[in-house]
Every structure is written in C-alpha cells, then in structure tokens.
Amino acid sequence: MDPRAQQMLARTLKSQEAAKQIELLTETCWDKCVGYPGNKIDSKTEYCIRNCVSRYVDTSYFIGQNVQQRAQQLASSRPESAFS
Amino acid sequence: MDFSSTPSFKGNDDVDRQLAKVQEQLYIQNAIRKLQIITDKCFEKCVTKPGTSLDSSQQKCTLFCMDRYTDTEKIVTESLTQRLQQHQ
C-alpha cells in the first residue's frame, strides 16, 4: 500500500478507536449521572458527567502506572518467585 | 467541474474507493450501534413497567431521553478532549 493510503487508513482506525471510547464513556457516565430524562441536562448532571469523564481518565492512568510498577517488581524479583 | 488538479492514478483511485467504502461501513455500523444503545438506555429509563402499549408518558420520556443521551455524548466528547489535552 502506498504511504498516503496507509496514513489515511491509520487515521480512519484512530478515529474509530476514539468513537468507541466516546461511546463507552457516554454509556458509563449516562448510567452514573443521568436520572429521569427531562427537557434539558441540568447543571448538576453536567457537572457529574464532566467529573465522570475526568475521573475515568485518571483511573485509566492510575491502573496503567500500577500495572507497570507491578511488572517492574515482578521483573526485578528473583526469577523463581516471579512464577510462584 | 475541473478535476485536472486531482492526481488520478489508477492504483490510487482504487485504494481511495476501498477506503471510502471502509469509512462508509464504519459510519453505518456506528450509527446502528448508537441507535441500539439509545434504545437500550431509554427503554431501561422510560419503560420500567411494560404495559399493553407504549403510553404517552413513556413516549414523552423516550423523546426526552433520546435528546438527553445526545447531549450527554456531546458533554463527554468535550470533556474527554479537554482532559486529554491537559495531560499532554
């Protein structure tokens, strides 16, 4: 494939990934924050949704860091204990 | 219309067409899935006790629900973009 097409495909895949992430987060934060639907999203609900998104990102980073730490601990510990 | 400025090698055209097809497919799939999700979420919220028909209050709730779900998606997209920019 020529580089231009490859770039376009990569961009398509990336935007699809973003769309999936937004879809998932919308579901999660809808479930957590939105009650019985009225004629608009009130400010309290909006605040909850914004926090929900931010904390989700925090949680994702936090878990990422932790997994990395654990992997390092595992790698630096004695080889036999790594598999126990 | 003048297309003379657009490079139109045969190979490129074909790849472009394939890519456009993939994008279209993804767009349709995403739209169908979104419709399913909204149906699911709004059914859950509005039709708590299914009766013999979708009564007017359930219909009203469902209409609100569809719009509020779209609003939620907008807020999520906005906050996610902001949050990810902050970190980088």
Side-chain angles (χ1 to χ4, degrees):
Chain A
M1 215 193 311
D2 71 289
R4 192 190 58 96
Q6 223 162 21
Q7 212 175 33
M8 278 167 70
L9 185 62
R11 209 178 300 146
T12 304
L13 291 176
K14 213 175 159 186
S15 90
Q16 177 62 12
E17 203 185 312
K20 281 268 191 187
Q21 184 64 66
I22 283 167
E23 187 184 286
L24 179 74
L25 259 176
T26 304
E27 277 200 72
T28 305
C29 297
W30 167 268
D31 289 343
K32 277 207 197 300
C33 298
V34 185
Y36 195 78
N39 63 357
K40 71 190 237 337
I41 296 264
D42 60 33
S43 60
K44 218 170 129 182
T45 307
E46 183 173 339
Y47 184 70
C48 176
I49 295 167
R50 289 184 184 281
N51 280 338
C52 172
V53 172
S54 274
R55 295 300 78 69
Y56 189 95
V57 175
D58 289 348
T59 307
S60 159
Y61 286 138
F62 185 71
I63 288 177
Q65 279 172 358
N66 238 278
V67 167
Q68 234 173 14
Q69 269 174 21
R70 286 187 199 189
Q72 278 165 3
Q73 273 168 16
L74 203 65
S76 63
S77 62
R78 286 175 300 152
E80 62 267 27
S81 64
F83 297 102
S84 62
Chain B
M1 247 191 264
D2 178 24
F3 288 107
S4 58
S5 60
T6 343
S8 57
F9 312 110
K10 213 174 172 151
N12 260 354
D13 266 8
D14 202 42
V15 173
D16 280 356
R17 218 174 295 128
Q18 295 287 338
L19 269 171
K21 219 185 265 177
V22 169
Q23 279 167 349
E24 197 190 311
Q25 286 288 328
L26 281 174
Y27 181 80
I28 294 170
Q29 275 175 22
N30 287 349
I32 292 173
R33 210 179 37 248
K34 193 185 285 189
L35 217 60
Q36 284 171 340
I37 292 171
I38 291 179
T39 305
D40 201 54
K41 295 295 172 190
C42 295
F43 184 78
E44 210 177 297
K45 279 232 193 292
C46 299
V47 193
T48 46
K49 288 194 180 107
T52 50
S53 71
L54 206 60
D55 67 38
S56 65
S57 69
Q58 288 168 341
Q59 283 180 23
K60 195 178 156 198
C61 174
T62 303
L63 287 175
F64 276 146
C65 177
M66 289 163 64
D67 290 337
R68 295 303 79 75
Y69 200 86
T70 315
D71 292 346
T72 303
E73 191 183 59
K74 250 184 240 159
I75 299 169
V76 165
T77 308
E78 210 183 282
S79 341
L80 186 63
T81 311
Q82 277 174 8
R83 182 64 187 80
L84 292 179
Q85 276 167 357
Q86 254 175 41
H87 198 263
Q88 277 153 9

Coordinates of all heavy atoms in Angstrom, one line a residue, chain B:
Chain B
M1 N -17.2 20.6 -13.9 CA -16.2 20.7 -12.9 C -14.9 20.3 -13.4 O -14.8 19.4 -14.2 CB -16.6 19.9 -11.7 CG -17.0 20.7 -10.5 SD -17.1 19.7 -9.0 CE -18.9 19.5 -9.0
D2 N -13.8 20.9 -12.9 CA -12.5 20.6 -13.3 C -11.8 19.7 -12.3 O -11.5 20.1 -11.2 CB -11.7 21.9 -13.6 CG -10.3 21.6 -14.0 OD1 -10.1 20.5 -14.6 OD2 -9.5 22.5 -13.8
F3 N -11.4 18.5 -12.7 CA -10.7 17.6 -11.8 C -9.3 17.4 -12.2 O -8.6 16.5 -11.6 CB -11.4 16.2 -11.8 CG -12.8 16.2 -11.1 CD1 -13.9 16.2 -11.8 CD2 -12.8 16.4 -9.7 CE1 -15.2 16.2 -11.2 CE2 -14.1 16.4 -9.1 CZ -15.2 16.3 -9.8
S4 N -8.8 18.3 -13.0 CA -7.4 18.1 -13.6 C -6.4 18.2 -12.5 O -5.3 17.6 -12.6 CB -7.2 19.0 -14.7 OG -7.3 20.4 -14.3
S5 N -6.7 18.9 -11.4 CA -5.6 19.1 -10.4 C -5.5 17.9 -9.5 O -4.6 17.7 -8.7 CB -6.0 20.4 -9.6 OG -7.2 20.2 -8.9
T6 N -6.6 17.1 -9.4 CA -6.6 15.9 -8.6 C -5.7 14.8 -9.2 O -6.0 14.5 -10.4 CB -8.0 15.3 -8.4 OG1 -8.9 16.3 -8.7 CG2 -8.2 14.9 -7.0
P7 N -4.8 14.2 -8.5 CA -4.0 13.1 -9.1 C -4.9 11.9 -9.2 O -5.6 11.5 -8.3 CB -2.9 12.9 -8.0 CG -3.4 13.4 -6.7 CD -4.4 14.5 -7.1
S8 N -5.0 11.4 -10.4 CA -5.9 10.3 -10.6 C -5.2 9.1 -11.3 O -5.5 8.7 -12.3 CB -7.0 10.7 -11.5 OG -6.5 11.2 -12.7
F9 N -4.2 8.6 -10.5 CA -3.6 7.3 -11.0 C -4.6 6.2 -10.7 O -5.3 6.2 -9.7 CB -2.3 7.1 -10.2 CG -1.4 8.3 -10.1 CD1 -1.2 8.9 -9.0 CD2 -0.7 8.7 -11.3 CE1 -0.3 10.1 -8.9 CE2 0.1 9.8 -11.2 CZ 0.3 10.5 -10.1
K10 N -4.5 5.2 -11.5 CA -5.5 4.2 -11.4 C -5.4 3.5 -10.1 O -6.4 3.2 -9.4 CB -5.3 3.2 -12.5 CG -6.6 2.6 -13.0 CD -6.5 1.7 -14.2 CE -7.9 1.1 -14.3 NZ -8.3 0.7 -15.6
G11 N -4.2 3.2 -9.6 CA -4.0 2.5 -8.4 C -4.5 3.2 -7.2 O -5.3 2.7 -6.4
N12 N -4.2 4.5 -7.1 CA -4.6 5.4 -6.1 C -6.2 5.5 -6.0 O -6.8 5.5 -4.9 CB -4.1 6.8 -6.3 CG -2.9 7.0 -5.4 OD1 -2.5 6.2 -4.6 ND2 -2.2 8.2 -5.6
D13 N -6.8 5.6 -7.1 CA -8.2 5.7 -7.2 C -8.9 4.5 -6.6 O -9.8 4.6 -5.8 CB -8.7 5.7 -8.7 CG -8.8 7.2 -9.1 OD1 -8.5 8.1 -8.4 OD2 -9.3 7.4 -10.3
D14 N -8.3 3.3 -6.9 CA -8.8 2.1 -6.3 C -8.7 2.0 -4.8 O -9.7 1.7 -4.1 CB -8.1 0.9 -7.0 CG -8.9 -0.4 -6.9 OD1 -10.1 -0.3 -7.2 OD2 -8.3 -1.4 -6.6
V15 N -7.5 2.4 -4.3 CA -7.3 2.4 -2.9 C -8.3 3.4 -2.2 O -8.9 3.2 -1.2 CB -5.9 2.8 -2.5 CG1 -5.7 3.0 -1.0 CG2 -4.9 1.7 -3.0
D16 N -8.4 4.6 -2.8 CA -9.3 5.6 -2.3 C -10.8 5.1 -2.2 O -11.5 5.3 -1.2 CB -9.3 6.9 -3.2 CG -8.1 7.8 -2.9 OD1 -7.4 7.4 -2.0 OD2 -8.0 8.7 -3.7
R17 N -11.2 4.4 -3.3 CA -12.5 3.8 -3.3 C -12.7 2.8 -2.2 O -13.7 2.8 -1.5 CB -12.8 3.2 -4.6 CG -14.2 3.5 -5.1 CD -14.5 3.0 -6.5 NE -13.7 3.7 -7.5 CZ -12.9 3.1 -8.4 NH1 -12.8 1.8 -8.5 NH2 -12.2 3.8 -9.3
Q18 N -11.7 2.0 -2.0 CA -11.8 1.0 -0.9 C -11.8 1.6 0.5 O -12.7 1.3 1.3 CB -10.5 0.1 -0.9 CG -10.4 -0.8 -2.2 CD -11.4 -1.9 -2.2 OE1 -11.9 -2.3 -1.1 NE2 -11.7 -2.4 -3.4
L19 N -11.0 2.7 0.6 CA -11.0 3.4 1.9 C -12.3 4.1 2.2 O -12.9 4.0 3.3 CB -9.9 4.4 1.9 CG -8.5 3.9 2.5 CD1 -7.5 5.0 2.2 CD2 -8.6 3.6 4.0
A20 N -12.9 4.7 1.1 CA -14.2 5.3 1.3 C -15.2 4.3 1.7 O -16.1 4.6 2.5 CB -14.5 6.0 0.0
K21 N -15.1 3.1 1.1 CA -16.1 2.1 1.4 C -16.0 1.7 2.9 O -17.0 1.5 3.6 CB -15.8 0.9 0.5 CG -17.1 0.2 0.0 CD -16.8 -1.1 -0.8 CE -16.8 -0.8 -2.3 NZ -16.4 -2.0 -3.0
V22 N -14.7 1.5 3.4 CA -14.5 1.2 4.8 C -15.1 2.2 5.7 O -15.8 1.9 6.7 CB -13.0 1.0 5.0 CG1 -12.7 0.9 6.5 CG2 -12.4 -0.3 4.3
Q23 N -14.8 3.5 5.3 CA -15.3 4.6 6.2 C -16.8 4.6 6.2 O -17.4 4.8 7.3 CB -14.8 5.9 5.6 CG -13.4 6.2 6.1 CD -12.7 7.4 5.4 OE1 -13.2 7.8 4.3 NE2 -11.6 7.8 5.8
E24 N -17.4 4.4 5.1 CA -18.9 4.3 5.0 C -19.4 3.2 5.8 O -20.4 3.4 6.6 CB -19.3 4.2 3.5 CG -20.7 4.6 3.3 CD -21.2 4.2 1.9 OE1 -20.5 4.5 0.9 OE2 -22.2 3.5 1.8
Q25 N -18.8 2.0 5.7 CA -19.2 0.9 6.5 C -19.2 1.2 8.0 O -20.1 0.9 8.8 CB -18.3 -0.3 6.2 CG -18.6 -1.0 4.9 CD -19.9 -1.7 4.9 OE1 -20.3 -2.2 5.9 NE2 -20.6 -1.7 3.7
L26 N -18.0 1.8 8.4 CA -17.8 2.1 9.8 C -18.9 3.1 10.3 O -19.5 3.0 11.4 CB -16.5 2.7 10.1 CG -15.3 1.7 10.1 CD1 -14.0 2.5 10.2 CD2 -15.4 0.8 11.3
Y27 N -19.2 4.1 9.4 CA -20.2 5.1 9.8 C -21.5 4.5 10.0 O -22.2 4.8 11.0 CB -20.2 6.1 8.6 CG -21.2 7.2 8.9 CD1 -20.9 8.3 9.7 CD2 -22.5 7.2 8.3 CE1 -21.8 9.3 9.9 CE2 -23.4 8.2 8.5 CZ -23.0 9.3 9.4 OH -23.9 10.3 9.6
I28 N -21.9 3.6 9.1 CA -23.2 2.9 9.2 C -23.3 2.0 10.4 O -24.2 2.1 11.2 CB -23.5 2.1 7.9 CG1 -23.7 3.0 6.7 CG2 -24.8 1.2 8.1 CD1 -23.7 2.3 5.4
Q29 N -22.2 1.2 10.6 CA -22.1 0.4 11.8 C -22.2 1.2 13.1 O -23.0 0.8 14.0 CB -20.8 -0.4 11.8 CG -20.8 -1.7 11.0 CD -19.5 -2.3 11.0 OE1 -18.6 -2.1 11.9 NE2 -19.2 -3.2 10.0
N30 N -21.5 2.3 13.2 CA -21.5 3.1 14.4 C -22.9 3.7 14.6 O -23.4 3.8 15.7 CB -20.5 4.3 14.2 CG -19.1 3.8 14.4 OD1 -18.8 2.7 14.8 ND2 -18.2 4.7 14.0
A31 N -23.6 4.1 13.5 CA -24.9 4.7 13.6 C -25.9 3.6 14.1 O -26.7 3.9 15.0 CB -25.4 5.3 12.3
I32 N -25.8 2.4 13.6 CA -26.7 1.4 14.0 C -26.5 1.0 15.5 O -27.4 0.9 16.3 CB -26.6 0.1 13.1 CG1 -27.1 0.4 11.7 CG2 -27.3 -1.1 13.7 CD1 -26.8 -0.7 10.7
R33 N -25.2 0.9 15.9 CA -24.9 0.6 17.3 C -25.4 1.7 18.2 O -25.9 1.4 19.3 CB -23.4 0.4 17.4 CG -23.1 -0.6 18.5 CD -21.7 -1.0 18.7 NE -20.9 0.2 18.5 CZ -20.0 0.3 17.5 NH1 -19.9 -0.6 16.7 NH2 -19.3 1.4 17.4
K34 N -25.2 3.0 17.8 CA -25.7 4.1 18.6 C -27.2 4.0 18.8 O -27.7 4.2 19.9 CB -25.3 5.4 18.0 CG -25.5 6.6 19.0 CD -25.2 7.9 18.3 CE -23.8 8.1 18.1 NZ -23.5 9.5 17.7
L35 N -27.9 3.7 17.8 CA -29.4 3.5 17.8 C -29.7 2.4 18.8 O -30.7 2.5 19.6 CB -29.9 3.2 16.4 CG -31.2 3.8 16.0 CD1 -31.1 5.3 16.1 CD2 -31.6 3.3 14.6
Q36 N -29.0 1.3 18.8 CA -29.3 0.2 19.7 C -29.0 0.6 21.1 O -29.8 0.3 22.0 CB -28.4 -1.0 19.3 CG -28.8 -1.8 18.1 CD -27.8 -2.8 17.6 OE1 -26.6 -2.7 18.0 NE2 -28.2 -3.8 16.8
I37 N -27.9 1.3 21.3 CA -27.6 1.7 22.7 C -28.6 2.7 23.2 O -29.1 2.5 24.3 CB -26.2 2.4 22.7 CG1 -25.1 1.4 22.4 CG2 -25.9 3.0 24.1 CD1 -23.7 2.0 22.2
I38 N -29.0 3.6 22.4 CA -30.0 4.6 22.8 C -31.4 3.9 23.1 O -32.0 4.2 24.2 CB -30.2 5.7 21.8 CG1 -29.0 6.6 21.8 CG2 -31.4 6.6 22.1 CD1 -29.0 7.8 20.8
T39 N -31.7 3.0 22.3 CA -33.0 2.2 22.5 C -32.9 1.5 23.9 O -33.8 1.5 24.7 CB -33.2 1.1 21.4 OG1 -33.2 1.8 20.2 CG2 -34.5 0.4 21.6
D40 N -31.7 0.8 24.1 CA -31.5 0.1 25.3 C -31.6 1.0 26.6 O -32.3 0.7 27.5 CB -30.1 -0.5 25.2 CG -29.9 -1.7 26.1 OD1 -30.7 -2.6 26.1 OD2 -28.9 -1.7 26.9
K41 N -30.8 2.1 26.5 CA -30.8 3.0 27.6 C -32.1 3.7 27.9 O -32.5 3.8 29.1 CB -29.7 4.1 27.4 CG -28.3 3.6 27.3 CD -27.8 3.1 28.6 CE -26.5 2.4 28.4 NZ -26.1 1.6 29.5
C42 N -32.8 4.0 26.9 CA -34.1 4.7 27.1 C -35.2 3.8 27.4 O -36.1 4.1 28.2 CB -34.5 5.6 25.8 SG -33.3 6.9 25.5
F43 N -35.1 2.6 27.0 CA -36.1 1.5 27.4 C -35.9 1.3 28.9 O -36.9 1.2 29.7 CB -35.8 0.2 26.6 CG -36.8 -0.8 26.9 CD1 -38.1 -0.8 26.4 CD2 -36.5 -1.9 27.8 CE1 -39.0 -1.8 26.7 CE2 -37.4 -2.9 28.1 CZ -38.7 -2.8 27.5
E44 N -34.7 1.2 29.3 CA -34.3 1.0 30.7 C -34.9 2.1 31.6 O -35.5 1.9 32.6 CB -32.8 0.9 30.8 CG -32.3 0.1 31.9 CD -30.7 0.1 31.9 OE1 -30.2 -0.4 30.8 OE2 -30.1 0.6 32.8
K45 N -34.7 3.4 31.1 CA -35.2 4.5 31.9 C -36.7 4.8 31.9 O -37.3 5.1 32.8 CB -34.5 5.8 31.4 CG -33.1 5.9 31.9 CD -32.9 7.3 32.6 CE -31.4 7.6 32.8 NZ -30.8 6.7 33.8
C46 N -37.3 4.6 30.7 CA -38.6 5.0 30.5 C -39.7 4.0 30.5 O -40.8 4.2 30.9 CB -38.7 5.8 29.1 SG -37.7 7.2 29.1
V47 N -39.3 2.7 30.2 CA -40.4 1.7 30.2 C -40.1 0.7 31.3 O -39.7 -0.4 31.1 CB -40.4 1.0 28.8 CG1 -41.7 0.1 28.7 CG2 -40.4 2.0 27.7
T48 N -40.2 1.3 32.5 CA -39.9 0.5 33.7 C -40.9 -0.6 33.9 O -40.6 -1.7 34.4 CB -39.8 1.4 35.0 OG1 -40.9 2.3 35.0 CG2 -38.5 2.2 35.0
K49 N -42.2 -0.3 33.6 CA -43.3 -1.3 33.7 C -44.0 -1.5 32.4 O -44.9 -0.7 32.1 CB -44.3 -0.9 34.8 CG -43.7 -1.0 36.2 CD -44.9 -0.9 37.2 CE -44.3 -1.1 38.6 NZ -44.3 0.2 39.3
P50 N -43.5 -2.4 31.6 CA -44.1 -2.6 30.2 C -45.6 -3.0 30.3 O -45.9 -4.0 30.9 CB -43.3 -3.7 29.6 CG -42.1 -3.9 30.4 CD -42.5 -3.4 31.8
G51 N -46.4 -2.2 29.7 CA -47.9 -2.5 29.7 C -48.3 -3.0 28.4 O -47.5 -3.5 27.6
T52 N -49.6 -2.8 28.1 CA -50.1 -3.3 26.8 C -49.7 -2.4 25.6 O -49.9 -2.8 24.5 CB -51.6 -3.5 26.8 OG1 -52.2 -2.3 27.3 CG2 -52.0 -4.6 27.7
S53 N -49.3 -1.2 25.9 CA -48.8 -0.3 24.9 C -47.8 0.7 25.4 O -47.6 0.8 26.7 CB -50.0 0.5 24.3 OG -50.4 1.5 25.2
L54 N -47.1 1.4 24.5 CA -46.2 2.5 25.0 C -47.1 3.7 25.3 O -47.5 4.4 24.4 CB -45.2 2.7 23.9 CG -43.8 3.3 24.2 CD1 -43.1 2.4 25.1 CD2 -43.0 3.6 23.0
D55 N -47.3 3.9 26.6 CA -48.3 5.0 26.9 C -47.6 6.4 26.7 O -46.4 6.5 26.5 CB -48.8 4.9 28.3 CG -47.8 5.0 29.4 OD1 -47.0 5.9 29.3 OD2 -47.9 4.3 30.4
S56 N -48.4 7.4 26.8 CA -48.0 8.8 26.4 C -46.8 9.3 27.3 O -45.9 9.9 26.8 CB -49.1 9.8 26.4 OG -49.6 9.9 27.7
S57 N -46.9 8.9 28.6 CA -45.8 9.4 29.4 C -44.5 8.7 29.1 O -43.4 9.2 29.2 CB -46.2 9.2 30.9 OG -46.2 7.9 31.3
Q58 N -44.6 7.4 28.7 CA -43.4 6.7 28.3 C -42.8 7.2 27.0 O -41.6 7.3 26.8 CB -43.7 5.2 28.2 CG -44.0 4.5 29.5 CD -44.6 3.1 29.3 OE1 -45.2 2.8 28.3 NE2 -44.5 2.3 30.4
Q59 N -43.7 7.6 26.1 CA -43.3 8.2 24.8 C -42.6 9.5 25.0 O -41.6 9.8 24.5 CB -44.5 8.4 23.9 CG -45.0 7.1 23.2 CD -46.2 7.3 22.3 OE1 -46.4 8.4 21.8 NE2 -47.0 6.3 22.1
K60 N -43.2 10.3 25.9 CA -42.6 11.6 26.2 C -41.2 11.4 26.8 O -40.3 12.1 26.4 CB -43.5 12.3 27.2 CG -43.3 13.8 27.3 CD -44.3 14.5 28.3 CE -43.7 15.8 28.8 NZ -44.4 16.2 30.0
C61 N -41.1 10.5 27.8 CA -39.9 10.2 28.4 C -38.8 9.8 27.4 O -37.7 10.2 27.4 CB -40.1 9.1 29.5 SG -38.5 8.5 30.3
T62 N -39.3 8.9 26.5 CA -38.3 8.4 25.5 C -37.8 9.5 24.6 O -36.6 9.5 24.2 CB -39.1 7.3 24.6 OG1 -39.5 6.3 25.5 CG2 -38.1 6.6 23.6
L63 N -38.7 10.4 24.2 CA -38.3 11.5 23.3 C -37.3 12.4 24.1 O -36.2 12.7 23.5 CB -39.5 12.4 22.9 CG -40.4 11.7 21.9 CD1 -41.6 12.6 21.6 CD2 -39.6 11.5 20.6
F64 N -37.5 12.7 25.3 CA -36.6 13.4 26.1 C -35.2 12.7 26.2 O -34.2 13.2 26.1 CB -37.1 13.7 27.6 CG -38.0 14.9 27.7 CD1 -39.0 14.8 28.6 CD2 -37.8 16.0 27.0 CE1 -39.9 16.0 28.8 CE2 -38.6 17.1 27.1 CZ -39.6 17.1 28.0
C65 N -35.4 11.4 26.5 CA -34.2 10.5 26.7 C -33.3 10.5 25.5 O -32.1 10.7 25.6 CB -34.7 9.1 27.0 SG -33.4 7.9 27.2
M66 N -33.8 10.4 24.3 CA -33.0 10.4 23.1 C -32.2 11.7 23.0 O -31.0 11.7 22.7 CB -33.9 10.4 21.8 CG -34.6 9.1 21.6 SD -36.0 9.2 20.5 CE -35.2 9.7 19.0
D67 N -32.8 12.8 23.3 CA -32.1 14.1 23.2 C -31.1 14.3 24.3 O -30.0 14.8 24.1 CB -33.1 15.3 23.2 CG -34.0 15.4 22.0 OD1 -33.5 14.8 20.9 OD2 -35.1 16.0 22.0
R68 N -31.4 13.8 25.5 CA -30.5 13.9 26.6 C -29.3 13.0 26.4 O -28.2 13.3 26.9 CB -31.2 13.6 28.0 CG -32.3 14.6 28.4 CD -31.9 16.0 28.5 NE -31.8 16.7 27.2 CZ -32.9 17.2 26.5 NH1 -34.1 17.0 27.0 NH2 -32.7 17.8 25.4
Y69 N -29.5 11.9 25.8 CA -28.4 11.0 25.5 C -27.4 11.6 24.6 O -26.2 11.6 24.8 CB -28.9 9.6 24.9 CG -27.8 8.6 25.1 CD1 -27.8 7.8 26.3 CD2 -26.9 8.3 24.2 CE1 -26.8 6.9 26.5 CE2 -25.9 7.4 24.4 CZ -25.8 6.7 25.5 OH -24.9 5.7 25.8
T70 N -28.0 12.3 23.5 CA -27.1 13.0 22.6 C -26.4 14.2 23.3 O -25.2 14.4 23.0 CB -28.0 13.6 21.5 OG1 -28.9 12.6 21.0 CG2 -27.1 14.0 20.3
D71 N -27.1 14.9 24.2 CA -26.4 15.9 25.0 C -25.3 15.3 25.8 O -24.2 15.9 25.8 CB -27.4 16.6 26.0 CG -28.5 17.4 25.3 OD1 -28.4 17.6 24.1 OD2 -29.5 17.7 25.9
T72 N -25.5 14.2 26.4 CA -24.5 13.6 27.3 C -23.3 13.2 26.4 O -22.2 13.5 26.8 CB -25.1 12.3 27.9 OG1 -26.2 12.6 28.7 CG2 -24.1 11.6 28.8
E73 N -23.5 12.7 25.2 CA -22.4 12.4 24.3 C -21.6 13.6 24.0 O -20.4 13.6 24.0 CB -23.0 11.7 23.1 CG -21.9 11.1 22.2 CD -22.5 10.6 20.9 OE1 -23.1 11.3 20.1 OE2 -22.4 9.4 20.7
K74 N -22.3 14.7 23.8 CA -21.6 16.0 23.5 C -20.7 16.4 24.6 O -19.6 16.8 24.4 CB -22.6 17.1 23.1 CG -22.6 17.5 21.7 CD -23.6 18.6 21.4 CE -24.7 18.2 20.5 NZ -25.9 19.0 20.5
I75 N -21.3 16.4 25.8 CA -20.5 16.8 27.0 C -19.3 15.9 27.2 O -18.2 16.3 27.5 CB -21.4 16.8 28.3 CG1 -22.6 17.8 28.1 CG2 -20.6 17.1 29.5 CD1 -23.7 17.7 29.2
V76 N -19.5 14.5 27.0 CA -18.5 13.6 27.2 C -17.3 13.8 26.2 O -16.1 13.9 26.6 CB -19.0 12.1 27.0 CG1 -17.9 11.1 26.8 CG2 -19.8 11.7 28.2
T77 N -17.7 14.1 24.9 CA -16.7 14.3 23.9 C -15.9 15.6 24.2 O -14.6 15.6 24.2 CB -17.4 14.6 22.5 OG1 -18.3 13.5 22.3 CG2 -16.4 14.7 21.4
E78 N -16.6 16.6 24.7 CA -15.9 17.9 25.0 C -15.0 17.7 26.2 O -13.8 18.1 26.2 CB -17.0 18.8 25.4 CG -16.8 20.3 25.2 CD -17.9 21.1 25.7 OE1 -19.0 21.1 25.0 OE2 -17.8 21.7 26.8
S79 N -15.5 17.0 27.3 CA -14.6 16.9 28.5 C -13.5 15.9 28.2 O -12.4 16.2 28.8 CB -15.4 16.3 29.7 OG -16.7 16.5 29.6
L80 N -13.7 14.9 27.4 CA -12.6 14.0 27.2 C -11.5 14.7 26.4 O -10.3 14.5 26.7 CB -13.1 12.8 26.4 CG -12.1 11.6 26.2 CD1 -11.6 11.0 27.5 CD2 -12.6 10.6 25.3
T81 N -11.9 15.5 25.4 CA -10.9 16.2 24.6 C -10.1 17.1 25.5 O -8.9 17.2 25.5 CB -11.6 17.1 23.5 OG1 -12.5 16.2 22.8 CG2 -10.6 17.6 22.5
Q82 N -10.8 17.9 26.4 CA -10.2 18.8 27.3 C -9.2 18.0 28.3 O -8.0 18.4 28.4 CB -11.2 19.5 28.2 CG -11.8 20.7 27.5 CD -12.9 21.3 28.4 OE1 -13.1 20.9 29.5 NE2 -13.6 22.3 27.8
R83 N -9.7 16.9 28.8 CA -8.9 16.2 29.8 C -7.6 15.6 29.2 O -6.6 15.6 29.8 CB -9.8 15.1 30.4 CG -9.1 14.2 31.5 CD -8.8 15.1 32.7 NE -8.0 14.3 33.7 CZ -6.7 14.1 33.6 NH1 -6.1 14.6 32.5 NH2 -6.1 13.4 34.5
L84 N -7.7 15.1 28.0 CA -6.6 14.5 27.3 C -5.6 15.6 26.9 O -4.4 15.3 26.9 CB -7.0 13.7 26.1 CG -7.8 12.4 26.4 CD1 -8.3 11.7 25.2 CD2 -7.1 11.5 27.4
Q85 N -6.1 16.8 26.6 CA -5.1 17.8 26.2 C -4.3 18.3 27.4 O -3.2 18.6 27.4 CB -5.9 19.0 25.6 CG -6.1 18.8 24.1 CD -7.1 19.8 23.6 OE1 -7.7 20.6 24.3 NE2 -7.4 19.8 22.3
Q86 N -5.0 18.3 28.6 CA -4.4 18.7 29.8 C -3.2 17.9 30.2 O -2.2 18.3 30.6 CB -5.4 18.5 31.0 CG -6.0 19.7 31.5 CD -7.1 19.4 32.6 OE1 -6.9 18.5 33.4 NE2 -8.2 20.1 32.5
H87 N -3.3 16.5 29.9 CA -2.3 15.6 30.4 C -1.1 15.7 29.5 O 0.0 15.4 29.9 CB -2.8 14.2 30.4 CG -2.0 13.3 31.2 ND1 -1.0 12.5 30.6 CD2 -1.9 13.1 32.6 CE1 -0.4 11.8 31.6 NE2 -1.0 12.1 32.8
Q88 N -1.3 16.1 28.2 CA -0.1 16.0 27.3 C 0.7 17.3 27.3 O 0.2 18.3 27.8 CB -0.6 15.7 25.9 CG -0.8 14.2 25.7 CD -1.9 13.9 24.6 OE1 -2.3 14.8 23.9 NE2 -2.3 12.7 24.5

